[in-house]
Amino acid sequence: MHVTHLSLADFRNYARADVALAPGPVLFVGRNGQGKTNLVEAIAYTGSAASHRVSTDQALIRFGADSSIVRMRVQHDDRAIVIELELNRSAPNRAQANGSPVRMRDLPRYFASVIFAPEDLSLVRGDPGVRRSFLDTLVVQRTPRFAGVLADYDRVVRQRNSLLKSARASRLPAESLTTLDVWDDRLVNLGTELIMARADLVDALRPHVARAYSAVAGDDHLTRMALRLSVDDRDDESSPSEHVDDATVIAERFRARLAELRRAELDRAVTLVGPHRDDLVLELNGLPARGYASHGESWSYALALKLASAEVLRAEAVAGDPVLILDDVFAELDEGRRERLADAVGGFEQVLITASVGADVPERLAATRIGIAAGTIVAEP
């Protein structure tokens, strides 16, 4: 799979932009703040309906405009798909695939990409929510129907929290909240399905992460990753859960933990158990990466997670390789890591790279160059 053409209207700092793209590595080069990341952000957004930089779509619409248009042509073998998005300030966003309306959450069915950017250092050093989002994005890319599961689960958590707040305000006894039992059932059913999907994903990622870390770092380090579930009562936040392989057992642990924390939930008026409270534990050489990994090790670990994601999608996707996007990555790497990263990504059908200095990128990844200046596609000198 590769992108053959991208057209933007009022997206970020682009009033208008049209760019043709070829398979293989493509380098977008230009000074900082010119719009290189905005261009690849539009491509990544088309496959996920989410930005890797901001949580609201409003920031993607050019200042002073009411809407933004992203139109992209994707090729896989002899099949072409044209995906068109309309992002609106005061109306729902809309999407089309080959002229037919589709739901925004169904976009992963038509296009897959994996983007690595400097912000991804937070996968290792940041809060659990960053790692949960990473897992859930990839779960949906693997199985698009989970977009609906995630939406339903989030809705149940909101409804349950609302009920807990009402119960706290009215000071109702716990035993009289029969409605809460109904929401508990929905929470457990949807939450268990999501936990099992995440666990299956972690199992699939694990060998690829180990290989990718060694390939990028150039050293033989021991990586380990596992889920830490809120259905387990563990004082050590860096301690992973065990036996996350039986949905029936997980559901039983889920219900037991809800019963155990019922009083605390009523006091705090918030749901304390479920996938929204879980974490992905990352270890390097037997120690938690979050607290012990150096900057270089953390950077290599985050990059390994994204390369592993691309490998998982490549192995499972009917449409072939995902488009791999490396946003301002090479400036952070020494020469050895640059060459090893070039080796690691060389086999993907299309690799889109941004860089402020073209010389930072190995020459074999920079044969096709596209210049960016002030939101305009220019001839690269």
Side-chain angles (χ1 to χ4, degrees), residues 330-348:
F330 286 91
E332 291 281 342
L333 304 177
D334 57 38
E335 185 176 355
R337 281 184 165 85
R338 289 174 183 173
E339 292 297 331
R340 288 192 292 271
L341 177 56
D343 290 338
V345 305
F348 282 87

